[in-house]
């Protein structure tokens, strides 16, 4: 949670600095033609509007350059370290990105202090990719949750332990704990970052970008020390499951038609939601900082905080929907429907107040990713779990890359005519994800007309197979 808070502040600082840097590059041209601050939101002179287009275009282009810089090392690191976490151990995979992120902060602070071109920040992005970044940290986090959830003690106390050759974790006595653990991990990750997002605007506006990065660097150092002392090893194996182990695990799940269809539908739905989430995030700040909105650092902080805080309200919503016996796929479908509605609303109604209404509409969205992790964890079992999560997260990263590329290119192409075009595209991604989750819900209902949730359906099916 603490690292999510720090990363939220760093990403906010980086994206705003990128836009302000290129705005400063055209400052002379802007001041020579009009007072941009006074003209924002009004009908500006065509020459001034053309300069504003250049600033937004440059910001979007360098967002793409950042992705080009870190996507290849990120993929390699995920394969070499994340997918070998079951042998290397969780602790190293968790701590290494911490250390690299501190180096990235030092480089970024140096660039700001010396007034260097923004291109030099790509060095830090490359190193972040080499470390595996957030993917490896999430792999270790979710593997630690699974290690403590599905340990040998749990199995020995179970009244109906699974056969030695059956790695599928369908013990209904642990389903409630598993679901809430994954939800709480995600909620804490986003709710924690909401705190720093709220204060990020005030830090940047009062202390400036350099001191904001210095604060982040000190915070990261303390967080690394805390993690180094307290994070212990839990899941290290004597023998590596190998790089093909996750493929074998997923293939084994697909051998069961019911499980295979479920895994395909929920994983594909999650990938399209990742495509939309990252695509929106990468282009939205530039969109908000450009005319006619010209949102300040403080306003951007308010919006980012509200966007992340919605995950906190997902907990009571989760409790309510589980009391209503809704399946995980149904909860995820409702979340994606709310996300799609919020995107189309934001794209069609171009007023600043809409940005603060959108997170309220999209509150159910915060549960969708957790539901997919719950279903996936249950279907693939505990063997080679970290390496399997690494493979899934790597696939998510590829879709995130595609989302960033397509939305930024679309924003550049339609900047002068329909700047909200990438937001419409993200809404379409959420809609497709909603359809896939809904298909899984209908498929589950067809298999279980009584209307019980997915957990009970799968447990009953597997119990019948074992007998």
């Amino acid at each position: 949670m603490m690292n999510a808070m720090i990363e939220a502040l760093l990403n906010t600082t980086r994206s705003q600095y990128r836009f302000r840097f290129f705005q400063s590059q055209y400052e002379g041209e802007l001041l020579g033609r009009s007072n941009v601050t006074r003209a924002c939101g009004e009908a500006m002179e065509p020459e001034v509007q053309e300069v504003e287009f250049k600033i937004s275009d440059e910001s979007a282009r360098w967002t793409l350059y950042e992705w080009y810089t870190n996507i290849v090392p990120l993929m390699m690191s995920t394969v070499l370290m994340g997918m070998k976490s079951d042998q290397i151990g969780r602790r190293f995979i968790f701590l290494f990105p911490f250390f690299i992120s501190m180096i990235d902060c030092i480089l970024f602070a140096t660039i700001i202090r010396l007034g260097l071109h923004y291109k030099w920040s790509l060095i830090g992005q490359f190193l972040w990719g080499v470390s595996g970044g957030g993917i490896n940290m999430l792999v270790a986090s979710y593997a630690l949750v699974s290690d403590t959830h599905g340990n040998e003690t749990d199995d020995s106390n179970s009244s109906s332990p699974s056969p030695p050759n059956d790695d599928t974790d369908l013990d209904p006595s642990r389903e409630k704990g598993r679901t809430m653990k994954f939800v709480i991990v995600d909620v804490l990750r986003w709710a924690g970052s909401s705190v720093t997002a709220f204060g990020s605007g005030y830090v940047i506006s009062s202390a400036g970008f350099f001191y904001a990065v210095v604060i982040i660097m000190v915070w990261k150092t303390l967080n690394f020390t805390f993690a180094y002392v307290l994070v212990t090893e839990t899941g290290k194996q004597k023998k590596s499951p190998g790089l093909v182990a996750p493929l074998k695990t997923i293939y084994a799940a697909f051998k069961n038609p019911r499980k295979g269809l479920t895994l395909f539908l929920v994983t594909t739905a999650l990938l399209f939601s990742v495509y939309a989430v990252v695509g929106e995030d990468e282009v939205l700040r530039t969109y908000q900082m450009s005319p006619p909105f010209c949102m300040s650092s403080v306003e951007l902080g308010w919006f980012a905080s509200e966007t992340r805080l919605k995950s906190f309200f997902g907990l009571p919503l989760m409790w309510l929907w589980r009391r209503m016996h809704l399946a995980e796929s149904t909860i995820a479908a409702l979340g994606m429907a709310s996300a799609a509605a919020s995107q189309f609303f934001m794209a069609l109604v171009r007023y600043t107040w809409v940005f603060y209404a959108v997170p309220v509409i999209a509150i159910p969205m915060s549960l969708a990713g957790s539901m997919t992790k719950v279903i996936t964890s249950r279907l693939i079992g505990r063997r080679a779990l970290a390496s399997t999560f690494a493979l899934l997260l790597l696939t998510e990263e590829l879709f995130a890359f595609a989302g960033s590329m397509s939305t930024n290119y679309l924003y550049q192409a339609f900047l002068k005519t329909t700047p909200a075009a990438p937001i419409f595209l993200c809404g379409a991604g959420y809609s497709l994800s909603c359809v896939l989750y809904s298909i899984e819900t209908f498929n589950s209902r067809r298999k279980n007309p009584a209307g019980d949730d997915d957990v009970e359906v799968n447990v009953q099916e597997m119990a019948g197979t074992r007998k």
Side-chain angles (χ1 to χ4, degrees):
M1 182 186 74
M2 188 67 69
N3 185 69
M5 296 168 65
I6 302 171
E7 288 300 322
L9 181 56
L10 178 60
N11 291 335
T12 299
T13 304
R14 190 187 301 274
S15 61
Q16 292 188 42
Y17 177 77
R18 179 176 58 239
F19 187 90
R20 299 305 181 196
F21 173 82
F22 291 109
Q23 190 176 57
S24 67
Q25 300 295 297
Y26 294 95
E27 187 175 26
E29 193 172 355
L30 284 169
L31 295 177
R33 293 178 175 175
S34 175
N35 186 321
V36 179
T37 303
R38 188 185 68 243
C40 187
E42 304 173 5
M44 291 185 289
E45 299 176 5
E47 297 84 357
V48 175
Q49 184 67 69
E50 188 66 29
V51 176
E52 289 287 354
F53 287 149
K54 291 179 182 179
I55 296 171
S56 300
D57 181 75
E58 287 281 359
S59 182
R61 178 178 292 108
W62 280 90
T63 301
L64 295 175
Y65 292 162
E66 290 179 0
W67 274 94
Y68 293 148
T69 301
N70 71 13
I71 187 64
V72 173
L74 186 67
M75 292 171 59
M76 295 179 62
S77 177
T78 302
V79 171
L80 295 177
M81 290 195 297
M83 294 175 68
K84 299 283 284 183
S85 171
D86 296 296
Q87 180 189 23
I88 298 174
R90 322 300 193 205
R91 191 168 184 266
F92 175 78
I93 301 299
F94 188 75
L95 293 177
F96 185 55
F98 265 118
F99 178 73
I100 295 298
S101 66
M102 290 190 294
I103 297 177
D104 179 29
C105 275
I106 294 174
L107 291 173
F108 192 38
T110 303
I111 291 168
I112 296 174
R113 189 64 173 179
L114 299 180
L116 302 178
H117 193 278
Y118 187 78
K119 64 183 178 182
W120 295 106
S121 67
L122 298 183
I123 297 175
Q125 291 295 295
F126 176 80
L127 295 176
W128 178 244
V130 170
S131 73
I135 289 185
N136 281 353
M137 297 185 73
L138 282 175
V139 167
S141 299
Y142 290 126
L144 285 167
V145 169
S146 182
D147 291 340
T148 56
H149 169 75
N151 53 35
E152 295 179 0
T153 303
D154 288 340
D155 290 337
S156 63
N157 293 335
S158 176
S159 58
S160 302
S162 301
N165 295 328
D166 190 353
D167 188 51
T168 306
D169 185 10
L170 294 174
D171 185 351
S173 67
R174 295 199 298 262
E175 285 304 322
K176 181 178 180 180
R178 184 213 308 271
T179 301
M180 290 309 298
K181 282 181 180 179
F182 277 111
V183 171
I184 289 173
V185 167
D186 281 344
V187 167
L188 290 178
R189 183 162 59 95
W190 289 109
S193 64
S194 173
V195 177
T196 52
F198 179 79
S200 63
Y202 294 100
V203 173
I204 293 172
S205 60
S206 60
F209 289 107
F210 173 74
Y211 288 104
V213 177
V214 170
I215 293 173
I216 295 170
M217 184 167 56
V218 173
W219 203 347
K220 278 182 173 288
T221 302
L222 295 175
N223 200 29
F224 174 80
T225 304
F226 177 82
Y228 183 83
V229 172
L230 295 182
V231 174
T232 58
E233 193 58 75
T234 61
K236 189 173 182 179
Q237 301 177 3
K238 294 181 180 179
K239 183 179 179 181
S240 170
L243 295 177
V244 297
L247 297 177
K248 292 180 179 179
T249 304
I250 294 175
Y251 174 73
F254 272 98
K255 290 174 67 176
N256 182 320
R258 171 69 181 90
K259 290 168 61 178
L261 180 59
T262 296
L263 192 60
F264 170 78
L265 288 173
V266 299
T267 303
T268 306
L270 177 64
L271 293 177
F272 278 107
S273 68
V274 169
Y275 172 91
V277 168
V278 175
E280 173 196 352
D281 185 65
E282 291 293 335
V283 79
L284 190 57
R285 284 196 189 96
T286 302
Y287 177 73
Q288 292 171 325
M289 296 174 76
S290 303
F293 310 111
C294 298
M295 293 177 67
S296 66
S297 296
V298 173
E299 291 173 320
L300 290 172
W302 292 344
F303 171 74
S305 176
E306 185 184 2
T307 300
R308 291 168 172 81
L309 189 61
K310 70 175 184 284
S311 63
F312 181 79
F313 295 97
L315 280 175
L317 197 60
M318 175 70 188
W319 176 85
L320 174 63
W321 283 347
R322 295 302 285 177
R323 294 274 295 184
M324 296 171 62
H325 302 289
L326 295 185
E328 285 112 352
S329 56
T330 306
I331 295 174
L334 292 172
M336 290 298 99
S338 68
S342 67
Q343 291 298 296
F344 292 129
F345 180 58
M346 182 166 55
L348 291 171
V349 184
R350 299 190 65 199
Y351 292 99
T352 303
W353 65 265
V354 172
F355 294 124
Y356 302 105
V358 162
V360 178
I361 299 173
I363 286 177
M365 170 195 171
S366 60
L367 297 173
S370 300
M371 296 301 99
T372 300
K373 295 182 184 73
V374 170
I375 297 172
T376 302
S377 172
R378 182 169 61 246
L379 292 178
I380 66 177
R382 295 184 295 275
R383 182 174 53 201
L385 182 64
S387 56
T388 306
F389 268 137
L391 178 62
L392 295 175
L393 288 170
L394 176 60
T395 308
E396 289 182 25
E397 191 69 16
L398 292 175
F399 270 73
F401 175 72
S404 178
M405 296 301 100
S406 57
T407 52
N408 274 284
Y409 277 124
L410 196 64
Y411 182 68
Q412 290 177 287
F414 291 90
L415 179 60
K416 297 181 180 181
T417 56
T418 314
I423 302 178
F424 281 111
L425 179 62
C426 294
Y430 287 128
S431 299
L432 182 55
S433 180
C434 176
V435 170
L436 292 171
Y437 281 124
S438 299
I439 292 174
E440 166 56 21
T441 297
F442 293 141
N443 186 55
S444 300
R445 296 295 182 183
R446 184 173 60 85
K447 294 290 184 180
N448 181 39
D452 296 333
D453 62 20
D454 286 342
V455 172
E456 295 170 347
V457 172
N458 287 317
V459 171
Q460 291 168 1
E461 289 182 356
M462 184 55 68
T465 301
R466 291 173 182 172
K467 290 179 181 179

